[in-house]
Every structure is written in C-alpha cells, then in structure tokens.
Amino acid sequence: MSTTPRTDAAEETAVPSSDAAATTQAEISAEIAEIGARKQTAGQQPRIDYPPYRSSILRHPTKDPRHADPETIERWAPVFGQRDVHKLESDLTLGAHAGTNSQVWGEPIGERITVSGRIVDGEGRPVAGQLVEIWQANAAGRYIHKNEQHPAPLDPNFTGVGRCLTNERGEYWFKTIKPGPYPWGNHRNAWRPAHIHFSLFGNQFTERLVTQMYFPGDPLFALDPIYQAITDRRARDALLATYDHDLTVPEYSMGYRWDIVLSGGDRTWMEPEEADQ
C-alpha cells in the first residue's frame, strides 16, 4: 500500500492569497498573544476556529455531516494484518527506488534520525498491532505533492512516507530524515516548524487518529498559528519529541523518543476528525 501526504500538507504549503500576503508575522504574533492572555479552558483539543490560523474556518464542516451505518463501512474497509506491512516500510532512508527495477537508487540527503516510542492507553497499557503511518517533508522542507511549489529541492531518493505495526509492547520504530521547516500561505513570511505527521488506526479505518510530532527547541513554535491553536500548554508540550541517546546510532543517526497516549487525561492531542472534510 502506498501512502500520500494528506491534504493538510498541501494546504499548509499553498500559495498565499493577497489578504494573507498582506498580513505580517508581527500582526499574527499579536493575535496569538492576545488569545493566549485570555483565561483558557484546559484541554487537549484546539479551538475549531482560531483566527491567527486563517484557514481554520475551512478545516471543519459547517453543515450536519452525512450519516452512515458504521457496520456497513466496516464491511467494506480494508483489513491489515502482520503480512500486509513489511518491516522495511519503516525505513524511509532506503531510497525511493529501493526494491524496484529502476536504475536510479541512492540514499536521501539530510540528517538521519531514528524516531521511536510507545503507544499506550490511558492506563499505560501497550497497544499492540497498531498500524502507524507517517508522512513528512524532506530535509529541505519540501513535500512530494502537486500543490507544493515553493523553491526548495525535491529529493529523488526520499518519498517522505512510511508505516509499521506496533509490537507486543506497543512500540513503533522509524528510521528517516529530519524534516526541514517550510513556508505556507497563512500570512507574509509564514513558516511551519519541522514536524512529522502521524496517523494511527485501530482495528478499522473509522478509528483513525491523526497528529503531529515536533522537535525540541524549534524557534518557530511561538510564531506558528497551528501549533499555538492548541491553547493548553501541557497539551502542546506532549507533541514534542525528546532526544534519546540510547536511540542514537554511533556515527550514523540521532535518536528521538515520542510516546503517544490514546485516552485519559494525559492523552496526546489529535486533529479533530472534521479536519479530513
């Protein structure tokens, strides 16, 4: 199964409108600060409409969604098992043409990293057999997508997508390239912090959860309306990976650990389902 970046990556990197291009980062930062100064209700979920994130109004339906019988959906949904996901699919550094008949093959360019962690429920119990998908920009901050047009180079040996199944301890593992920040069309000189998109499935497609993992110390956090749309600081901090020296491979790659909690008061923030509309 091939995986392509979701539409949110394309939206983030769309060409800015004239109104967005006229709005400065200072104006966006002032809006973020004004909202942050208000008394906030604690919780992991971001606001449905967050004014500094200009297209947030487009990220959720404005009408009652079409209702469907969930049992009918499950009857037709794809089913994943151990044999459907190869262990090499979690290694994004193998090259875009690895295992094919193409004569073009090589390693992707950028800083190699290992990203690993555990997926647990609200009681800390591991979630085994969970399908985990990731997608990301390359080291230059470029997605492979038709709407991605900013002048950063594509890497012919990097697709930016991978997947794996969690083991009996709820652990996942990916080897990839650290993504770069990239411009997007929210306002003038708007840049997104480096991040990796995560998609988690339960036993069927209707249980899909989507979130983002960020890297510690990024100077763009305070300037990014998407990150700041999560007004609860504890929930934002839960999206940050931590450097893990035990995951670092000597003379080869840096290691980052990021655990995901699916339920309970400490659950990891997930994008609302309406974002897929």
Side-chain angles (χ1 to χ4, degrees):
M1 173 184 172
S2 62
T3 308
T4 56
R6 278 163 35 93
T7 54
D8 53 355
E11 179 185 336
E12 290 172 11
T13 55
V15 176
S17 66
S18 57
D19 290 342
T23 305
T24 67
Q25 179 65 62
E27 292 172 312
I28 293 293
S29 294
E31 292 180 28
I32 292 173
E34 192 275 331
I35 294 173
R38 301 174 193 167
K39 184 177 181 180
Q40 304 293 337
T41 300
Q44 286 86 352
Q45 295 303 321
R47 296 164 177 253
I48 293 179
D49 292 328
Y50 185 72
Y53 182 7
R54 291 296 190 250
S55 60
S56 61
I57 186 62
L58 305 176
R59 303 278 290 167
H60 62 87
T62 57
K63 299 179 177 62
D64 187 37
R66 179 178 297 176
H67 297 274
D69 179 6
E71 292 186 2
T72 301
I73 295 174
E74 300 305 338
R75 194 174 296 123
W76 293 98
V79 178
F80 290 96
Q82 185 67 40
R83 291 173 298 177
D84 296 311
V85 181
H86 196 281
K87 63 180 181 180
L88 292 181
E89 293 184 66
S90 65
D91 188 348
L92 284 68
T93 69
L94 289 176
H97 306 278
T100 70
N101 293 324
S102 172
Q103 298 300 310
V104 180
W105 182 81
E107 290 189 273
I109 297 173
E111 177 189 341
R112 289 185 293 255
I113 61 173
T114 297
V115 178
S116 184
R118 297 180 71 228
I119 298 177
V120 299
D121 65 15
E123 301 298 323
R125 295 171 297 201
V127 180
Q130 176 74 199
L131 176 64
V132 183
E133 297 178 335
I134 65 170
W135 64 95
Q136 62 170 93
N138 64 20
R142 182 82 183 264
Y143 287 99
I144 300 177
H145 195 283
K146 64 181 180 180
N147 290 343
E148 175 72 286
Q149 297 296 324
H150 79 279
L154 287 169
D155 188 336
N157 295 308
F158 189 71
T159 62
V161 296
R163 63 179 187 163
C164 72
L165 292 174
T166 56
N167 62 20
E168 66 277 4
R169 295 181 297 277
E171 296 168 332
Y172 70 88
W173 178 93
F174 289 100
K175 184 162 68 173
T176 184
I177 298 297
K178 188 174 183 181
Y182 55 81
W184 62 303
N186 188 72
H187 55 277
R188 181 174 176 270
N189 203 18
W191 288 80
R192 290 239 57 214
H195 60 276
I196 297 177
H197 296 266
F198 274 70
S199 171
L200 311 175
F201 289 95
N203 296 320
Q204 54 271 331
F205 270 21
T206 55
E207 292 183 353
R208 187 187 190 200
L209 298 173
V210 176
T211 187
Q212 299 180 20
M213 184 204 86
Y214 295 87
F215 295 87
D218 197 310
L220 293 172
F221 287 151
L223 307 179
D224 181 41
I226 294 180
Y227 182 74
Q228 293 295 330
I230 308 170
T231 55
D232 184 274
R233 181 171 181 176
R234 184 182 178 197
R236 287 201 305 266
D237 290 345
L239 299 181
L240 298 180
T242 57
Y243 172 74
D244 190 323
H245 202 64
D246 291 334
L247 284 175
T248 297
V249 180
E251 301 181 10
Y252 186 79
S253 67
M254 303 285 278
Y256 291 90
R257 182 168 298 279
W258 189 54
D259 296 332
I260 300 173
V261 182
L262 295 181
S263 60
D266 293 325
R267 66 185 182 275
T268 304
W269 172 82
M270 302 287 174
E271 294 181 10
E273 294 181 3
E274 291 82 358
D276 288 331
Q277 302 296 323

